[in-house]
Amino acid sequence: MRYSTPEMIPHSGLTPAELRTLRSLKKPELLQRFLDEEIAYNTEPDGPSCFSPRLVLRHSRGHCMEGALLAAAALRVNGYRALLLDLEAIRDDDHVLALFQVDGCWGSVAKSNYSGLRYREPVYRTLRELVLSYFPHYFNLQGERTLRAYSTRPVDLARFDKRQWMADEEPVWYIAEHLCWVAHTKVITPKQVRRLTRMDQRLFDAGLVGSIRH
């Protein structure tokens, strides 16, 4: 569904200034650039956080979950659905993508401390294809390939509209918790896990370009 004006988005709670900022990010690639260049990576110096899109804009920082929420809000006010997909890992942090579709193909916007876990062009026919594009770039600092599953269906954040998730002044842990509880689909089999190799050093180094250590 497309909304003719930002004001028609139900229960957004966003101010006109906040809506203007999000509306200016009309294309997913512009949104990714905004996340990369205008939003600092949140290392959570004050403890674990789960900022709403309003708080990400206010503080100009966000980690992967917070960046995905901001991206979903920006996509929403520009006519896309606000869809999130959770990537589940072992011995590593999970990762969250904001999804969009163009001509029936999936793409994604994401905030990450790793260079290979960010934007994907909308060329993937299925969510599994999209998720697998992240597999070679998903690793921990021990060089293990850690991606194991993804949420079986995208989570439409419209379900949280009555809680004004876009403008919440409090942490939106309820969204993070929901992503943890939804059904997930395995990426690889146990037999494939046993055959996994360590990261190639060049790809490992490339993945850490621009990263911020805690």
Side-chain angles (χ1 to χ4, degrees):
M1 176 178 181
R2 283 187 172 270
Y3 299 92
S4 58
T5 66
E7 290 74 15
M8 291 177 63
I9 297 173
H11 310 291
S12 81
L14 295 171
T15 66
E18 291 166 339
L19 283 168
R20 282 195 298 273
T21 296
L22 296 182
R23 285 285 287 176
S24 71
L25 306 171
K26 294 184 180 299
K27 297 180 180 180
E29 59 267 31
L30 295 178
L31 172 54
Q32 183 66 57
R33 189 180 306 163
F34 181 82
L35 285 179
D36 292 342
E37 298 177 1
E38 304 298 331
I39 302 299
Y41 191 80
N42 182 10
T43 60
E44 302 179 307
D46 302 317
S49 64
C50 194
F51 291 159
S52 68
R54 166 174 284 170
L55 296 180
V56 174
L57 290 174
R58 179 179 300 166
H59 298 297
S60 296
R61 72 175 190 268
H63 50 53
C64 118
M65 177 69 189
E66 296 162 342
L69 287 168
L70 178 63
L75 289 166
R76 178 84 176 276
V77 303
N78 283 291
Y80 298 88
R81 294 167 66 195
L83 301 177
L84 294 187
L85 193 76
D86 181 56
L87 304 185
E88 192 174 78
I90 60 163
R91 294 184 293 280
D92 203 349
D93 295 330
D94 285 6
H95 189 40
V96 183
L97 312 176
L99 302 176
F100 64 96
Q101 280 186 299
V102 176
D103 296 331
C105 289
W106 293 100
S108 57
V109 177
K111 181 72 177 174
S112 180
N113 205 20
Y114 290 77
S115 59
L117 299 184
R118 300 179 299 116
Y119 184 75
R120 291 295 187 271
E121 297 284 352
V123 298
Y124 300 95
R125 294 170 295 176
T126 67
L127 289 176
R128 179 175 173 80
E129 283 186 3
L130 172 67
V131 170
L132 287 176
S133 77
Y134 285 92
F135 188 86
H137 308 279
Y138 207 128
F139 59 88
N140 62 23
L141 293 178
Q142 288 69 51
E144 296 177 282
R145 303 176 191 275
T146 54
L147 178 59
R148 293 295 182 270
Y150 63 97
S151 45
T152 304
R153 294 182 180 85
V155 172
D156 191 334
L157 296 182
R159 68 186 295 126
F160 299 110
D161 280 350
K162 290 184 178 179
R163 301 187 71 164
Q164 295 194 337
W165 64 274
M166 288 189 262
D168 205 328
E169 292 285 350
E170 298 298 324
V172 290
W173 289 113
Y174 52 89
I175 299 179
E177 290 167 1
H178 182 79
L179 287 176
C180 289
W181 284 106
V182 298
H184 283 65
T185 297
K186 296 292 185 182
V187 173
I188 55 177
T189 67
K191 187 174 182 180
Q192 289 171 324
V193 170
R194 291 192 294 271
R195 290 201 299 259
L196 288 177
T197 60
R198 292 274 173 170
M199 288 290 295
D200 171 86
Q201 188 63 48
R202 286 178 294 181
L203 189 57
F204 181 91
D205 293 341
L208 296 179
V209 170
S211 64
I212 299 172
R213 302 271 63 86
H214 294 243

